[in-house]
Amino acid sequence: MSPTTTAAPPTGVRALILLLVLVAGVLGGGTPAHALAGNLPATTVGADESPVGDPTGLAAGRYFGPELDWSTDNARAYADRTGSTPSFFSRPVAYPLDAVAERDLADLVRQDAPLGALAVVTLEPSKPLTELTEADAEVLADTLARLDEEFRTAFFLRFAPEMNGTWHSWGQHPDAYVDAFRTVAGAVHERAPGAALVWAPSYAAGYPFTEAYGAVEGLEAGSVPALDTNGNGLIDGGDDPYAPYYPGDDAVDWVGLSLYHFGSYEQGPTTSADGTREYSGAIETSVLPEPDKFADQLAGTYGIAPGAPTIDFAKEYAAGKDKRFLVQTAALFDPEDADSAPEADIKAAWLEQLFDPVIAAEYPEIGMVAWLEASRPEPEAEGHVVDWRLSMEDGTTAALTDTLDAAADLRLGPVTDVVRQEDANESTSQVWQSGSSPNTAMSWLVASVVGLFLLVLLAGLARKVVPQWRYPNEQNPRDMRLDLLRGWIITAVVVTHIEVAGPWSFVALNIVGAITGAELFVLLSGVVMGMVYPIAVRKLGSGAALKGNMKRALRLYLTALGVVIAVYLLSLVPFIDASVITTFTDRGTGDTGEGAVGRVYDLYPNAARLFDYPPPGYAIQDLLLLSMGPWTFNIMGLFVVLTLSVPLLVELLRRKLWWLLLLVSWALYVLDSIVHVRVLDSQFQDVFPLLTWQVIFVHGIVIGFYRRRIIDTLSRSWGKILIGTLLGLYALGLGLLWLDSTFRLQLPFIPAGFYESLYDAGYVRVFMQPGRLIDLAFFVVAAHAILTSFWKPLNRAFGWLYIPLGQSSLYVFIVHVFFVLAVGNLPGLDRTSFWQGLVIHAVVTLIIWVMVKRKVLFSVIPN
């Protein structure tokens, strides 16, 4: 068939084109919810508003959020169910912090970050107040400061709330409580400016709670003389229920109060002219709240016995002290109560009172309304499991939505910096010398290029002096030079991802100039496919070769899914810390720049939703699109897509349309450099943009397809002269730029500041800039020349190690993920230690080499 023939493509090619169109349609249309602004839960904060930095300076208005049952629920799930983005999420955490508490605290912030939500933390003392130390407070403060730096959030700490009650172990110990609160406040205010202390007693009806429901055994009101505020020698209802526990204006940033609707108090006859009623203390649960109950609670009159002080808590402790007010609340519904009012009616009535505009006008100091979103046994309901939740039933969810929509002064999220998943993905790009200056990076680039060129010159001399060292099998379809080079590259990838110091880390990160192992891996994979696939077509025919390629792509995809799932399941194992690969700490390499340095990203943002029944569609899409996964593995998605394209690319080359293929490839590259087209909502897309990185793979395919012709041509005298001249000019040009900048020669043909701006203008990774492509081409040509001329000594020294690894480079790449995880869990690991790094890199490399030689799991893992 001539190149100008217009007949229809072979059946195999038509099938491939159809498959690619279908895949593109499915993947392109299956955008996860977190990627589409239109699908995000409702928000009331405009994009022009500054995120919260100082929690004591929260903007005016009321903020709403839930306290979830974190054992079965998560922030994203709640936002999806309600269709709204809460401005905060609340979580109880044990204090002092232990490993579990630190993990819970980090989990709260990690779930808040993608939604831009604040973190309300209820610190629950796990030991007597008198045993809490300043060191405990410092650990807390340092942890909060670190999380604030990593996630850019703000914390509100409800320390030992409801301390005036008898149902907590820390209750009714005013002196010890005040001391403990002030100790925590002192450390937090000094070390964690992004955190505010919230003093949050319980509403006083029934105080001193002598017969409180759920009272802690042995803790009886009246045992603490400091609580006798009226001096009558008794601890009774006439004492102030709040003042003995107040830690002082300097320690308290916000105040709060627990104002639940457990039910209605049974009322006695009117006993005073002002209408104050005598309450029996009994509660009728699962009933509609009385009209104006919330207003009466705020005024301090609801359920208060005759003779008890009437205290408007919000006015006295919030407005009177120039502080904001947090309301902890919910409405009880008892499913086991046959006489219960309808759940939606109970909760809608309570919501209506909470967000009554009259209340908002009278109490502008109300800053947060936190709703208990849990189902649990309650003593007030005879131990029945009652449902406080709003988001699990259509009627209550509708009531919440209607209330939030109608509340004029309500502020939903995001109210802090939103951590986009694209930012998370982009941050995982590993660049040369993260954190170093562009001038330093350029200096190493120049040193690498000049050094490689000198080796190329030496290789040319070796051809004449020691010709017996030359690579002997130029006509062999299996090019061992490629295998050795691929082995060296994949080892560099393993070393780079393990991220410990050592000599090999220095080599892998420095002496290849501007490029990394990823570019070389993609290019050489294209070269190999350009060599192998045409052989399969000749031997098996187009249809069979296409089928085999599709099977390989499917196997790669299923393997990628398997690794993603396996790593997540390992992260759930209590004694395994998988954060070394399931999260990534920003080094300032993404689009967010150096301002995001230190921020920690979750690379499995919706993984927990896969355990919902039924799991939400976007969580399934995130998994199937490989939008979640370990950062050490994200390039795998790119290989799946590139593998799918191989039959089409090779078919164009077989039709001698290499020029068209390269033209289209470069056009896509230029297009992506201008408008940054996001082709797929996959994790790799933000690190290895498909339309940019395809240009490397396509050139690899072309080189592999025409390998023998290219080698024969460049082996001629004029070819050697041409290649040597181009390499020399590149090395000379960079060398002159370096000399001019370093020694301030001010050469007339070099514009001022050109060298200093060159790295950022031409060599930055992710969007593969032209200088980086030139550097890649230079390295590959230089490596080929060096390996050709010095083959025998290099093969004798390193072939035993690198050739097997190179021939199974895909296998090595897959299994290395679990070695990175294993190293991250080594106790006492010092990542800055040269000797530890040397040993770890050597041991890991040799173990993988043994696995390759013995073909461990070769029948399961692609190789």
PDB file of all heavy atoms in Angstrom, residues 555-583:
ATOM      1  N   ARG A 555      -3.936  -4.975  31.625  1.00  0.00           N
ATOM      2  CA  ARG A 555      -3.192  -5.531  32.749  1.00  0.00           C
ATOM      3  C   ARG A 555      -2.489  -4.431  33.537  1.00  0.00           C
ATOM      4  O   ARG A 555      -2.452  -4.456  34.767  1.00  0.00           O
ATOM      5  CB  ARG A 555      -2.183  -6.554  32.240  1.00  0.00           C
ATOM      6  CG  ARG A 555      -1.563  -7.394  33.360  1.00  0.00           C
ATOM      7  CD  ARG A 555      -0.584  -8.397  32.817  1.00  0.00           C
ATOM      8  NE  ARG A 555      -0.021  -9.206  33.892  1.00  0.00           N
ATOM      9  CZ  ARG A 555       1.069  -9.949  33.778  1.00  0.00           C
ATOM     10  NH1 ARG A 555       1.715  -9.985  32.617  1.00  0.00           N
ATOM     11  NH2 ARG A 555       1.525 -10.649  34.799  1.00  0.00           N
ATOM     12  N   LEU A 556      -1.926  -3.461  32.821  1.00  0.00           N
ATOM     13  CA  LEU A 556      -1.298  -2.326  33.498  1.00  0.00           C
ATOM     14  C   LEU A 556      -2.319  -1.572  34.338  1.00  0.00           C
ATOM     15  O   LEU A 556      -2.050  -1.170  35.477  1.00  0.00           O
ATOM     16  CB  LEU A 556      -0.665  -1.383  32.477  1.00  0.00           C
ATOM     17  CG  LEU A 556       0.586  -1.867  31.744  1.00  0.00           C
ATOM     18  CD1 LEU A 556       1.026  -0.825  30.731  1.00  0.00           C
ATOM     19  CD2 LEU A 556       1.709  -2.155  32.723  1.00  0.00           C
ATOM     20  N   TYR A 557      -3.500  -1.373  33.761  1.00  0.00           N
ATOM     21  CA  TYR A 557      -4.543  -0.624  34.458  1.00  0.00           C
ATOM     22  C   TYR A 557      -5.004  -1.360  35.709  1.00  0.00           C
ATOM     23  O   TYR A 557      -5.129  -0.766  36.793  1.00  0.00           O
ATOM     24  CB  TYR A 557      -5.711  -0.385  33.505  1.00  0.00           C
ATOM     25  CG  TYR A 557      -6.902   0.267  34.160  1.00  0.00           C
ATOM     26  CD1 TYR A 557      -6.846   1.582  34.622  1.00  0.00           C
ATOM     27  CD2 TYR A 557      -8.093  -0.428  34.323  1.00  0.00           C
ATOM     28  CE1 TYR A 557      -7.936   2.177  35.226  1.00  0.00           C
ATOM     29  CE2 TYR A 557      -9.190   0.159  34.919  1.00  0.00           C
ATOM     30  CZ  TYR A 557      -9.110   1.458  35.371  1.00  0.00           C
ATOM     31  OH  TYR A 557     -10.185   2.037  35.977  1.00  0.00           O
ATOM     32  N   LEU A 558      -5.255  -2.656  35.577  1.00  0.00           N
ATOM     33  CA  LEU A 558      -5.695  -3.438  36.730  1.00  0.00           C
ATOM     34  C   LEU A 558      -4.605  -3.494  37.802  1.00  0.00           C
ATOM     35  O   LEU A 558      -4.895  -3.473  39.008  1.00  0.00           O
ATOM     36  CB  LEU A 558      -6.084  -4.852  36.293  1.00  0.00           C
ATOM     37  CG  LEU A 558      -7.321  -4.940  35.390  1.00  0.00           C
ATOM     38  CD1 LEU A 558      -7.560  -6.379  34.967  1.00  0.00           C
ATOM     39  CD2 LEU A 558      -8.550  -4.366  36.086  1.00  0.00           C
ATOM     40  N   THR A 559      -3.356  -3.555  37.369  1.00  0.00           N
ATOM     41  CA  THR A 559      -2.259  -3.526  38.330  1.00  0.00           C
ATOM     42  C   THR A 559      -2.221  -2.193  39.062  1.00  0.00           C
ATOM     43  O   THR A 559      -2.003  -2.140  40.283  1.00  0.00           O
ATOM     44  CB  THR A 559      -0.921  -3.771  37.623  1.00  0.00           C
ATOM     45  OG1 THR A 559      -0.964  -5.040  36.955  1.00  0.00           O
ATOM     46  CG2 THR A 559       0.229  -3.751  38.610  1.00  0.00           C
ATOM     47  N   ALA A 560      -2.431  -1.115  38.315  1.00  0.00           N
ATOM     48  CA  ALA A 560      -2.453   0.210  38.937  1.00  0.00           C
ATOM     49  C   ALA A 560      -3.566   0.296  39.977  1.00  0.00           C
ATOM     50  O   ALA A 560      -3.358   0.792  41.100  1.00  0.00           O
ATOM     51  CB  ALA A 560      -2.638   1.289  37.873  1.00  0.00           C
ATOM     52  N   LEU A 561      -4.755  -0.195  39.636  1.00  0.00           N
ATOM     53  CA  LEU A 561      -5.857  -0.211  40.590  1.00  0.00           C
ATOM     54  C   LEU A 561      -5.485  -1.038  41.821  1.00  0.00           C
ATOM     55  O   LEU A 561      -5.773  -0.647  42.961  1.00  0.00           O
ATOM     56  CB  LEU A 561      -7.115  -0.794  39.947  1.00  0.00           C
ATOM     57  CG  LEU A 561      -7.881   0.093  38.969  1.00  0.00           C
ATOM     58  CD1 LEU A 561      -9.077  -0.668  38.407  1.00  0.00           C
ATOM     59  CD2 LEU A 561      -8.351   1.377  39.637  1.00  0.00           C
ATOM     60  N   GLY A 562      -4.857  -2.181  41.570  1.00  0.00           N
ATOM     61  CA  GLY A 562      -4.470  -3.050  42.677  1.00  0.00           C
ATOM     62  C   GLY A 562      -3.508  -2.385  43.631  1.00  0.00           C
ATOM     63  O   GLY A 562      -3.645  -2.504  44.858  1.00  0.00           O
ATOM     64  N   VAL A 563      -2.521  -1.666  43.086  1.00  0.00           N
ATOM     65  CA  VAL A 563      -1.551  -0.982  43.940  1.00  0.00           C
ATOM     66  C   VAL A 563      -2.228   0.136  44.732  1.00  0.00           C
ATOM     67  O   VAL A 563      -1.987   0.302  45.933  1.00  0.00           O
ATOM     68  CB  VAL A 563      -0.388  -0.424  43.094  1.00  0.00           C
ATOM     69  CG1 VAL A 563       0.506   0.477  43.934  1.00  0.00           C
ATOM     70  CG2 VAL A 563       0.420  -1.564  42.494  1.00  0.00           C
ATOM     71  N   VAL A 564      -3.075   0.908  44.060  1.00  0.00           N
ATOM     72  CA  VAL A 564      -3.781   2.000  44.737  1.00  0.00           C
ATOM     73  C   VAL A 564      -4.611   1.463  45.904  1.00  0.00           C
ATOM     74  O   VAL A 564      -4.582   2.001  47.017  1.00  0.00           O
ATOM     75  CB  VAL A 564      -4.677   2.758  43.737  1.00  0.00           C
ATOM     76  CG1 VAL A 564      -5.604   3.730  44.475  1.00  0.00           C
ATOM     77  CG2 VAL A 564      -3.827   3.510  42.728  1.00  0.00           C
ATOM     78  N   ILE A 565      -5.347   0.384  45.660  1.00  0.00           N
ATOM     79  CA  ILE A 565      -6.197  -0.190  46.704  1.00  0.00           C
ATOM     80  C   ILE A 565      -5.346  -0.818  47.811  1.00  0.00           C
ATOM     81  O   ILE A 565      -5.623  -0.641  48.999  1.00  0.00           O
ATOM     82  CB  ILE A 565      -7.150  -1.237  46.096  1.00  0.00           C
ATOM     83  CG1 ILE A 565      -8.137  -0.551  45.146  1.00  0.00           C
ATOM     84  CG2 ILE A 565      -7.898  -1.995  47.192  1.00  0.00           C
ATOM     85  CD1 ILE A 565      -8.969  -1.516  44.330  1.00  0.00           C
ATOM     86  N   ALA A 566      -4.302  -1.544  47.425  1.00  0.00           N
ATOM     87  CA  ALA A 566      -3.462  -2.218  48.423  1.00  0.00           C
ATOM     88  C   ALA A 566      -2.819  -1.211  49.368  1.00  0.00           C
ATOM     89  O   ALA A 566      -2.771  -1.425  50.591  1.00  0.00           O
ATOM     90  CB  ALA A 566      -2.387  -3.048  47.724  1.00  0.00           C
ATOM     91  N   VAL A 567      -2.330  -0.099  48.829  1.00  0.00           N
ATOM     92  CA  VAL A 567      -1.686   0.912  49.680  1.00  0.00           C
ATOM     93  C   VAL A 567      -2.708   1.515  50.635  1.00  0.00           C
ATOM     94  O   VAL A 567      -2.411   1.736  51.820  1.00  0.00           O
ATOM     95  CB  VAL A 567      -1.027   2.001  48.813  1.00  0.00           C
ATOM     96  CG1 VAL A 567      -0.626   3.205  49.661  1.00  0.00           C
ATOM     97  CG2 VAL A 567       0.186   1.446  48.089  1.00  0.00           C
ATOM     98  N   TYR A 568      -3.911   1.777  50.142  1.00  0.00           N
ATOM     99  CA  TYR A 568      -4.927   2.348  51.037  1.00  0.00           C
ATOM    100  C   TYR A 568      -5.296   1.370  52.147  1.00  0.00           C
ATOM    101  O   TYR A 568      -5.434   1.759  53.311  1.00  0.00           O
ATOM    102  CB  TYR A 568      -6.177   2.742  50.260  1.00  0.00           C
ATOM    103  CG  TYR A 568      -7.211   3.389  51.157  1.00  0.00           C
ATOM    104  CD1 TYR A 568      -6.990   4.651  51.685  1.00  0.00           C
ATOM    105  CD2 TYR A 568      -8.376   2.721  51.496  1.00  0.00           C
ATOM    106  CE1 TYR A 568      -7.921   5.251  52.530  1.00  0.00           C
ATOM    107  CE2 TYR A 568      -9.311   3.310  52.342  1.00  0.00           C
ATOM    108  CZ  TYR A 568      -9.075   4.571  52.850  1.00  0.00           C
ATOM    109  OH  TYR A 568      -9.985   5.147  53.699  1.00  0.00           O
ATOM    110  N   LEU A 569      -5.459   0.109  51.802  1.00  0.00           N
ATOM    111  CA  LEU A 569      -5.782  -0.883  52.827  1.00  0.00           C
ATOM    112  C   LEU A 569      -4.654  -0.998  53.848  1.00  0.00           C
ATOM    113  O   LEU A 569      -4.907  -1.139  55.056  1.00  0.00           O
ATOM    114  CB  LEU A 569      -6.056  -2.241  52.175  1.00  0.00           C
ATOM    115  CG  LEU A 569      -7.317  -2.319  51.299  1.00  0.00           C
ATOM    116  CD1 LEU A 569      -7.439  -3.692  50.667  1.00  0.00           C
ATOM    117  CD2 LEU A 569      -8.564  -1.987  52.110  1.00  0.00           C
ATOM    118  N   LEU A 570      -3.420  -0.913  53.384  1.00  0.00           N
ATOM    119  CA  LEU A 570      -2.298  -0.931  54.323  1.00  0.00           C
ATOM    120  C   LEU A 570      -2.323   0.285  55.243  1.00  0.00           C
ATOM    121  O   LEU A 570      -1.923   0.207  56.404  1.00  0.00           O
ATOM    122  CB  LEU A 570      -0.973  -0.986  53.562  1.00  0.00           C
ATOM    123  CG  LEU A 570      -0.624  -2.326  52.898  1.00  0.00           C
ATOM    124  CD1 LEU A 570       0.603  -2.179  52.012  1.00  0.00           C
ATOM    125  CD2 LEU A 570      -0.389  -3.406  53.950  1.00  0.00           C
ATOM    126  N   SER A 571      -2.802   1.410  54.724  1.00  0.00           N
ATOM    127  CA  SER A 571      -2.861   2.622  55.555  1.00  0.00           C
ATOM    128  C   SER A 571      -3.851   2.481  56.703  1.00  0.00           C
ATOM    129  O   SER A 571      -3.782   3.231  57.683  1.00  0.00           O
ATOM    130  CB  SER A 571      -3.245   3.835  54.693  1.00  0.00           C
ATOM    131  OG  SER A 571      -4.625   3.811  54.351  1.00  0.00           O
ATOM    132  N   LEU A 572      -4.773   1.527  56.593  1.00  0.00           N
ATOM    133  CA  LEU A 572      -5.760   1.314  57.650  1.00  0.00           C
ATOM    134  C   LEU A 572      -5.236   0.408  58.765  1.00  0.00           C
ATOM    135  O   LEU A 572      -5.869   0.292  59.811  1.00  0.00           O
ATOM    136  CB  LEU A 572      -7.034   0.707  57.055  1.00  0.00           C
ATOM    137  CG  LEU A 572      -7.718   1.516  55.949  1.00  0.00           C
ATOM    138  CD1 LEU A 572      -8.949   0.781  55.443  1.00  0.00           C
ATOM    139  CD2 LEU A 572      -8.090   2.911  56.430  1.00  0.00           C
ATOM    140  N   VAL A 573      -4.105  -0.232  58.511  1.00  0.00           N
ATOM    141  CA  VAL A 573      -3.516  -1.108  59.526  1.00  0.00           C
ATOM    142  C   VAL A 573      -2.923  -0.234  60.635  1.00  0.00           C
ATOM    143  O   VAL A 573      -2.112   0.657  60.355  1.00  0.00           O
ATOM    144  CB  VAL A 573      -2.435  -2.019  58.912  1.00  0.00           C
ATOM    145  CG1 VAL A 573      -1.796  -2.894  59.991  1.00  0.00           C
ATOM    146  CG2 VAL A 573      -3.031  -2.876  57.808  1.00  0.00           C
ATOM    147  N   PRO A 574      -3.308  -0.459  61.879  1.00  0.00           N
ATOM    148  CA  PRO A 574      -2.912   0.466  62.963  1.00  0.00           C
ATOM    149  C   PRO A 574      -1.413   0.685  63.098  1.00  0.00           C
ATOM    150  O   PRO A 574      -0.975   1.796  63.384  1.00  0.00           O
ATOM    151  CB  PRO A 574      -3.488  -0.206  64.218  1.00  0.00           C
ATOM    152  CG  PRO A 574      -4.623  -1.040  63.709  1.00  0.00           C
ATOM    153  CD  PRO A 574      -4.205  -1.525  62.361  1.00  0.00           C
ATOM    154  N   PHE A 575      -0.592  -0.342  62.908  1.00  0.00           N
ATOM    155  CA  PHE A 575       0.842  -0.178  63.154  1.00  0.00           C
ATOM    156  C   PHE A 575       1.618   0.218  61.892  1.00  0.00           C
ATOM    157  O   PHE A 575       2.843   0.260  61.909  1.00  0.00           O
ATOM    158  CB  PHE A 575       1.431  -1.473  63.732  1.00  0.00           C
ATOM    159  CG  PHE A 575       1.206  -2.704  62.876  1.00  0.00           C
ATOM    160  CD1 PHE A 575       2.044  -3.013  61.826  1.00  0.00           C
ATOM    161  CD2 PHE A 575       0.124  -3.535  63.130  1.00  0.00           C
ATOM    162  CE1 PHE A 575       1.835  -4.128  61.050  1.00  0.00           C
ATOM    163  CE2 PHE A 575      -0.099  -4.662  62.358  1.00  0.00           C
ATOM    164  CZ  PHE A 575       0.765  -4.956  61.304  1.00  0.00           C
ATOM    165  N   ILE A 576       0.920   0.509  60.810  1.00  0.00           N
ATOM    166  CA  ILE A 576       1.584   0.952  59.580  1.00  0.00           C
ATOM    167  C   ILE A 576       1.245   2.418  59.328  1.00  0.00           C
ATOM    168  O   ILE A 576       0.079   2.793  59.264  1.00  0.00           O
ATOM    169  CB  ILE A 576       1.155   0.104  58.369  1.00  0.00           C
ATOM    170  CG1 ILE A 576       1.617  -1.342  58.536  1.00  0.00           C
ATOM    171  CG2 ILE A 576       1.725   0.691  57.067  1.00  0.00           C
ATOM    172  CD1 ILE A 576       1.195  -2.259  57.389  1.00  0.00           C
ATOM    173  N   ASP A 577       2.277   3.237  59.197  1.00  0.00           N
ATOM    174  CA  ASP A 577       2.094   4.643  58.843  1.00  0.00           C
ATOM    175  C   ASP A 577       2.342   4.784  57.346  1.00  0.00           C
ATOM    176  O   ASP A 577       3.494   4.797  56.899  1.00  0.00           O
ATOM    177  CB  ASP A 577       3.056   5.520  59.642  1.00  0.00           C
ATOM    178  CG  ASP A 577       2.911   6.998  59.299  1.00  0.00           C
ATOM    179  OD1 ASP A 577       1.953   7.339  58.569  1.00  0.00           O
ATOM    180  OD2 ASP A 577       3.749   7.801  59.740  1.00  0.00           O
ATOM    181  N   ALA A 578       1.263   4.871  56.599  1.00  0.00           N
ATOM    182  CA  ALA A 578       1.378   4.947  55.136  1.00  0.00           C
ATOM    183  C   ALA A 578       1.449   6.377  54.633  1.00  0.00           C
ATOM    184  O   ALA A 578       1.501   6.597  53.418  1.00  0.00           O
ATOM    185  CB  ALA A 578       0.201   4.225  54.477  1.00  0.00           C
ATOM    186  N   SER A 579       1.471   7.353  55.552  1.00  0.00           N
ATOM    187  CA  SER A 579       1.451   8.748  55.128  1.00  0.00           C
ATOM    188  C   SER A 579       2.664   9.118  54.284  1.00  0.00           C
ATOM    189  O   SER A 579       2.627  10.110  53.553  1.00  0.00           O
ATOM    190  CB  SER A 579       1.368   9.673  56.344  1.00  0.00           C
ATOM    191  OG  SER A 579       2.501   9.520  57.176  1.00  0.00           O
ATOM    192  N   VAL A 580       3.745   8.347  54.371  1.00  0.00           N
ATOM    193  CA  VAL A 580       4.939   8.636  53.574  1.00  0.00           C
ATOM    194  C   VAL A 580       4.637   8.589  52.088  1.00  0.00           C
ATOM    195  O   VAL A 580       5.307   9.248  51.280  1.00  0.00           O
ATOM    196  CB  VAL A 580       6.075   7.650  53.936  1.00  0.00           C
ATOM    197  CG1 VAL A 580       5.736   6.236  53.504  1.00  0.00           C
ATOM    198  CG2 VAL A 580       7.388   8.089  53.314  1.00  0.00           C
ATOM    199  N   ILE A 581       3.598   7.836  51.682  1.00  0.00           N
ATOM    200  CA  ILE A 581       3.236   7.790  50.263  1.00  0.00           C
ATOM    201  C   ILE A 581       1.789   8.183  50.004  1.00  0.00           C
ATOM    202  O   ILE A 581       1.441   8.497  48.860  1.00  0.00           O
ATOM    203  CB  ILE A 581       3.503   6.395  49.645  1.00  0.00           C
ATOM    204  CG1 ILE A 581       2.803   5.295  50.436  1.00  0.00           C
ATOM    205  CG2 ILE A 581       4.988   6.134  49.544  1.00  0.00           C
ATOM    206  CD1 ILE A 581       2.986   3.908  49.830  1.00  0.00           C
ATOM    207  N   THR A 582       0.926   8.184  51.019  1.00  0.00           N
ATOM    208  CA  THR A 582      -0.471   8.570  50.804  1.00  0.00           C
ATOM    209  C   THR A 582      -0.693  10.057  51.016  1.00  0.00           C
ATOM    210  O   THR A 582      -1.766  10.575  50.709  1.00  0.00           O
ATOM    211  CB  THR A 582      -1.407   7.799  51.753  1.00  0.00           C
ATOM    212  OG1 THR A 582      -1.057   8.086  53.104  1.00  0.00           O
ATOM    213  CG2 THR A 582      -1.312   6.303  51.499  1.00  0.00           C
ATOM    214  N   THR A 583       0.308  10.749  51.558  1.00  0.00           N
ATOM    215  CA  THR A 583       0.267  12.202  51.647  1.00  0.00           C
ATOM    216  C   THR A 583       1.568  12.738  51.041  1.00  0.00           C
ATOM    217  O   THR A 583       2.517  11.995  50.829  1.00  0.00           O
ATOM    218  CB  THR A 583       0.145  12.691  53.097  1.00  0.00           C
ATOM    219  OG1 THR A 583       1.342  12.350  53.820  1.00  0.00           O
ATOM    220  CG2 THR A 583      -1.055  12.076  53.783  1.00  0.00           C
TER     221      THR A 583
END
